[in-house]
Amino acid sequence: MTATGAPSPGRTAPAAGGAAAGTGALVRLALRRDRIRLPAWLLGITVFVPYFYTVLGVVSPTQEALEESTALMDSPMVRLFAGPYFGFGEVTLQRSFLVYLPEFLLAAAVMSVLLVARHTRGEEQSGRAELVRASAVGRHAQLTAALAVAVLANTALGLLIALAMVALAFPAGSGLLFGAAVAATGLSFAGITAVTAQLGESSRTASGLASAALPAAWMLRAVGAVQDEAGGWATWLSPLGWPQLTRILDDERWWPLALSVLLFAAGAAASYALAERRDLGGGFVGTRPGRSTAAPWLRSPLALAWRLQRRTVAWWGTAVFAASLCYGGLGGAMDEGAVDLPAEVVGGPAVDVLDGYLSIMTVSMVFVVCFFAVVSVRGLRRDETSGRAVAVLTAATGRAAWTGTSLLVTAVSGVALVALVGLGTGLGAAASVGDGSLLPVLLGAALARAPEVLLTAGLAAALLGWAPRAFGAVWAVVVYGVCLRFFAPDLGWPDRLLATSPYNHVPRVPVEEPALVPTAVLTVLAVALAALGVWGFGRRDLDG
Amino acid sequence: MTTAVSAVDLTKAYGPTRALDGLDLTVRSGEVHGFLGPNGAGKSTAIRILLGLVRADGGAAAVLGGDPWRDSVALHRRLAYVPGDVELWPDLTGGEIIDLLGRLRGGAVAARRDALVERFDLDPTRRARTYSKGNRQKVALVAALASDVELLLLDEPTSGLDPLMEAVFQQVVGELRGEERTVLLSSHILSQVEKLADRVSIIRRGRVVQSGTLAEMRHLTRTAVEATTAAPADGLDRLPGVHGLEATGTRVRFDVDGDHLDGALKHLGGFGVLSLSSHPPTLEELMLRHYGDGEAA
C-alpha cells in the first residue's frame, strides 16, 4: 500500500454505490414533484410536431408548390436559421419539416437546463438539499438523480416525438432518429447544466450560465450552416449542430449523436469532480453584491412593479424580437417560392402565401406574448401567497394601487412586446423580401392584436380578484384559444364554436382587412375585467 | 390613558375552523403588550385583521382610532409590521427593500436605518435570494424599526434570529419604550415577552383567556415547591391550595396557590426542612395552566 493510497484513519470503505445511495428514492421524489410540469413540457413540445407539419401542408399544398418554395429555402439566409439540412435537392413535405428541427432542439435544451438546475442547485439553494443529504443519501445521489431524471425526460420526449412522426406517416427509422436527435440535444444541455450548477450559488446562476451556452451553440451552428451546405467546421463545434448532421431523411447516420452523448457524459463527470471539491451550498462563482441602498426612483408601487418585472420584460423582449425576426426573415423564401405559382395551385380564394405565412406567424407570436401576460399577472398572486405582498400592503400602499400599478406594467410591457413582434416580423420580412412597406403593415397587424394580450391580462386579474385559487384557469383559456385558432379550422368546426375564443376576432392582417371594432371591443373588455379584478382584490381577504 | 389597539368580540372563521372566537384585546398607548399563545391560537389572524389584510366576520376593531379595514392606507403610515416568516423579492438587495418599504410608508429615518443595519449586523448589498431566514427577518425588522411610526405590530418577529440578535432586538424595543411608542409583540418565546412586556394577553383557541400585567398574572398562579425534610411530610394533601403533590420518602414536590404559600411553608417547617427550592411560575407554566389540563387539578 502506498502512502497516497492509504485510507484516512477512521474512514471505512464505502459500501458499493455509497456516494449514490438513495438515488432511486430521489428520482421518484423528483418525478413526483414534476408530475405536472414534466408531462406538460413533453406534451407541449410534442404537439408542435403535428402543428408545424400541418402548417407546412397548408402553406405548400402540392408537390410543385413545395418544390418551388423549398428550392429557395436553400438560400444562405434560411440555412442561417435552420441549417444545415439535407436532401432538399429532392424535397418532400416530410423533408421540409426538418426546417423546424432547431425549434425542437431548443425546446429540449431549455427543458433540460431548467430541469437539472431545479433539481440540483435549486434544491441546495432552498435548503431542502440539506434535509435530504442529512439522511442516508450519498454525496452524489442528488446530482445522479437529477441526471437520471433528465435521461428519463429526454428519452420520453424522443419517443413521443418519434411516435407523433410515425403517426404522421414518417418512416419509423427517420422518426426515431429525429426523436433521438432531440433527446440527445436535451442530454448535452443537461450535462452542461450539471457543470454550471456546481459553479454559482443560485439556481438562476446555474440556469443562466447554461442558457448562455444556448445562443453560443446556436450561433456556431448558424455560422457552420452558412460556411458549407453540409455544415462547416463551426457546425461540428455546436451541440445544436450535431443532431442536424445526422442527415435525417437523407443518407441517415446515427453517429453524430454520439458527440451529444459524449458531451453529456463529460459534463456529468466534470460535475461530479467539481461537486467533490466544494461544500454543500457553496460555489466557485461568488454572488455579486448589489446596491446597499435603493435607487432614488424606487419609491412608489409603480416603481416597484417595474423594478420587479423589468428583467423579465427585457428577456421576453429579446426572445420575442429575435424569434419574430427569424420568422419574418423566412418570409423571403416563402415569397419567392410562391411567385410563380398559378392561382389554381394556391387554391380557393387567392391567398398570397407570403401574407398567409406572415399573418400566421404574427398570430403565433402574439399568443407567446399572451403567455407573458399570464406570467406577469401571476407575479401578483405569487407575491400574495408568499407573503411578499404583505410587506407592501402594510406600508401605506392601498390594494388598488398595488394591483393597479402592477397591471399597468403588465399592459404596457405586453403592448411593447407586441410591438416588438411586429417590428421583428416586419424588419425580417422587409429585409428578406426587399419590400420596405411590409414593416408598417406587419407592425400594424401585430398592434391590432395587442388587445388579445390585454384581455388575457384582464382575465388573469379578474381571477386574481375573485377566484384566486382558480388562477390557473387562465392558462386553460389561452390554450383553448391556441387550439381553436390552429387546429379547429382544419377540422371544419362551426364558426359559432370558433367565436367562443376571444382570440378569434381580430382579423389576420394582411390576409384579412383590418377592422377597428374587434380591437376596440376587446380593449374595453380587457379594461373592464382588469377593473373588476382590482375591485375584487380590494374587498377580499389576503391569502398566505 | 389612550388606547392604541382595541378589539371587541372579534370572530373569524376559515371554513369549519374558527380562527378567532370572540377575541377581546386592548393595547394602551405607549406600552409594550405581549400577545402570547401557541401556534394556531389565532395570534396572526388577529394581527392580520388589525392590519386590514383580512376582514373580521364579526366584532369591532380599532387601531390608532381608525377602522383597520376602511382606513388601512392612512393607518399604515402610522404603523409598521414584521411578520414571523418574512418573504422578500429574490432579485432585490436587502438595502433596496429596506429603503423601498420605508419610502412606501412615507419615509424612514436614514440615520436610524444605518444604525440598525449596523446593530443587526446585516449586509444590505446581498440579494434577498441569498439571505438566510434570520437575515430576511432582519431586513423586515430594520425596515419597521427605522420608520418613525406610533405603533409596531410584531408577529413573532425574531424567529430565526440567533440569541445575540435576539438581545439586540430586546435592546431596540427597550429603547422604543422610552420613546412612548406602542408595541404589540406576539410571541411564543416566553422569556422575550417576560423581559419586554408591560402587559400580557394570553390567547387560546381564538379567545383571550387572560390579560394583565405580569405581576397580576403571578398573583393568580401557583408557586412550585421542592423540599427535603428530616421526617416524611404528611398531611400536605389536606392543605388548601396545594396541587400535584408528589412525595417519595422525605422528598416532596408540589404546586401551591399564591395565597396559600405561607400555610404550606409553615406546615413543612414542622418536619424539619433540610433543603427547599421554590420559584415563581415562568411564562411556560402560565401557559400550561391555560393550555394543559392543569385547570382540572
Side-chain angles (χ1 to χ4, degrees), chain A residues 103-487:
Chain A
E103 257 85 15
F104 290 99
L105 301 181
L106 283 176
V110 171
M111 176 186 80
S112 303
V113 166
L114 294 178
L115 184 95
V116 173
R118 189 167 61 250
H119 288 296
T120 53
R121 185 55 79 165
E123 288 291 284
E124 279 186 54
Q125 194 194 341
S126 71
R128 286 190 290 264
E130 219 165 74
L131 206 62
V132 170
R133 283 270 281 274
S135 62
V137 154
R139 200 163 345 110
H140 293 319
Q142 283 175 313
L143 185 54
T144 312
L147 292 173
V149 172
V151 170
L152 284 175
N154 281 295
T155 309
L157 178 63
L159 285 175
L160 277 173
I161 288 178
L163 270 175
M165 290 178 69
V166 171
L168 291 167
F170 279 81
S174 306
L176 212 55
L177 181 54
F178 192 103
V182 174
T185 309
L187 280 186
S188 36
F189 280 90
I192 291 172
T193 315
V195 175
T196 60
Q198 310 304 319
L199 302 179
E201 284 183 11
S202 78
S203 171
R204 287 191 46 158
T205 313
S207 49
L209 282 173
S211 307
L214 257 181
W218 178 265
M219 282 319 293
L220 278 174
R221 180 207 52 78
V223 169
V226 179
Q227 281 173 332
D228 189 328
E229 280 181 31
W233 57 265
T235 311
W236 289 97
L237 293 179
S238 169
L240 290 173
W242 304 328
Q244 299 195 301
L245 295 169
T246 55
R247 307 187 174 179
I248 301 166
L249 290 164
D250 195 31
D251 55 334
E252 293 180 354
R253 49 187 192 180
W254 283 71
W255 62 263
L257 296 184
L259 291 170
S260 309
V261 177
L262 217 61
L263 179 59
F264 170 70
S271 63
Y272 284 121
L274 286 170
E276 284 282 350
R277 283 165 182 76
R278 70 179 183 87
D279 297 330
L280 183 68
F284 295 94
V285 181
T287 346
R288 203 159 28 96
R291 313 176 57 97
S292 69
T293 57
W297 56 267
L298 186 57
R299 50 173 54 256
S300 66
L302 181 64
L304 173 65
W306 172 240
R307 172 71 182 78
L308 293 177
Q309 296 208 42
R310 64 180 183 189
R311 193 198 296 230
T312 321
V313 172
W315 276 110
W316 277 84
T318 312
V320 159
F321 181 73
S324 303
L325 198 63
C326 292
Y327 288 130
L330 286 165
M334 300 292 169
D335 185 39
E336 287 166 52
V339 167
D340 302 329
L341 292 182
E344 59 267 25
V345 170
V346 179
V351 171
D352 185 62
V353 170
L354 173 68
D355 285 353
Y357 168 78
L358 290 174
S359 69
I360 284 260
M361 282 308 158
T362 303
V363 169
S364 309
M365 289 310 294
V366 171
F367 268 120
V368 171
V369 180
C370 287
F371 280 93
F372 159 80
V374 177
V375 171
S376 173
V377 179
R378 190 181 56 175
L380 279 173
R381 176 68 183 153
R382 293 207 161 162
D383 269 11
E384 183 195 351
T385 50
S386 71
R388 290 189 286 261
V390 167
V392 179
L393 294 174
T394 57
T397 304
R399 304 256 187 120
W402 184 63
T403 45
T405 51
S406 186
L407 289 174
L408 186 66
V409 169
T410 303
V412 172
S413 309
V415 173
L417 291 180
V418 170
L420 282 175
V421 167
L423 217 56
T425 322
L427 284 173
S432 67
V433 179
D435 177 3
S437 73
L438 279 171
L439 176 58
V441 169
L442 289 171
L443 187 58
L447 283 174
R449 310 207 81 86
E452 295 180 344
V453 174
L454 298 181
L455 187 87
T456 310
L459 210 57
L463 283 167
L464 174 78
W466 294 93
R469 285 182 199 150
F471 186 83
V474 67
W475 290 114
V477 175
V478 181
V479 170
Y480 177 72
V482 171
C483 290
L484 282 200
R485 183 90 221 181
F486 294 115
F487 303 118

Side-chain angles (χ1 to χ4, degrees), chain A residues 404 407-408 411 450-459 461-462 519-535:
Chain A
L407 289 174
L408 186 66
E452 295 180 344
V453 174
L454 298 181
L455 187 87
T456 310
L459 210 57
T519 300
V521 169
L522 286 186
T523 307
V524 171
L525 261 178
V527 172
L529 281 170
L532 192 71
V534 170
W535 180 48

Side-chain angles (χ1 to χ4, degrees), chain B residues 28-43:
Chain B
R28 299 172 190 157
S29 292
E31 75 175 359
V32 176
H33 193 102
F35 195 30
L36 271 175
N39 295 326
K43 301 191 296 290

Side-chain angles (χ1 to χ4, degrees), chain B residues 6-215:
Chain B
S6 86
V8 181
D9 199 24
L10 283 184
T11 54
K12 178 75 189 177
Y14 291 104
T17 323
R18 290 184 74 80
L20 294 184
D21 190 13
L23 177 115
D24 297 304
L25 178 69
T26 307
V27 179
R28 299 172 190 157
S29 292
E31 75 175 359
V32 176
H33 193 102
F35 195 30
L36 271 175
N39 295 326
K43 301 191 296 290
S44 296
T45 305
I47 290 181
R48 289 168 78 83
I49 289 175
L50 296 177
L51 284 163
L53 298 173
V54 164
R55 193 161 14 188
D57 295 337
V63 175
L64 300 173
D67 178 315
W69 181 268
R70 202 190 54 226
D71 311 323
S72 68
V73 173
L75 289 176
H76 291 170
R77 266 185 244 285
R78 299 163 62 198
L79 63 82
Y81 165 62
V82 178
D85 201 353
V86 175
E87 279 297 328
L88 304 169
W89 300 277
D91 262 355
L92 272 63
T93 65
E96 275 184 290
I97 293 170
I98 291 171
D99 287 350
L100 171 78
L101 293 179
R103 288 169 188 171
L104 289 179
R105 194 172 282 119
V109 184
R112 181 144 60 194
R113 170 216 196 259
D114 295 341
L116 284 167
V117 165
E118 182 92 2
R119 285 172 77 176
F120 278 108
D121 196 21
L122 177 74
D123 180 356
T125 64
R126 287 176 53 194
R127 293 187 195 282
R129 179 187 314 127
T130 67
Y131 279 140
S132 65
K133 165 155 176 48
N135 277 325
R136 292 201 301 271
Q137 211 66 35
K138 289 180 191 175
V139 169
L141 275 171
V142 171
L145 294 170
S147 40
D148 197 12
V149 293
E150 298 159 51
L151 172 66
L152 286 150
L153 297 174
L154 310 177
D155 189 1
E156 309 207 354
T158 60
S159 53
L161 289 195
D162 58 42
L164 221 59
M165 290 303 133
E166 170 79 35
V168 172
F169 169 77
Q170 290 181 0
Q171 260 176 24
V172 175
V173 173
E175 293 161 21
L176 288 179
R177 196 189 342 229
E179 299 167 22
E180 292 293 304
R181 296 210 257 175
T182 312
V183 179
L184 176 60
L185 174 64
S186 133
S187 182
H188 59 218
I189 304 174
L190 307 166
S191 61
Q192 180 181 71
V193 171
E194 210 166 10
K195 284 186 192 119
L196 291 172
D198 302 306
R199 293 199 312 134
V200 173
S201 291
I202 294 183
I203 176 173
R204 175 199 186 192
R205 293 188 197 156
R207 300 178 69 95
V208 167
V209 288
Q210 199 165 27
S211 193
T213 64
L214 281 172

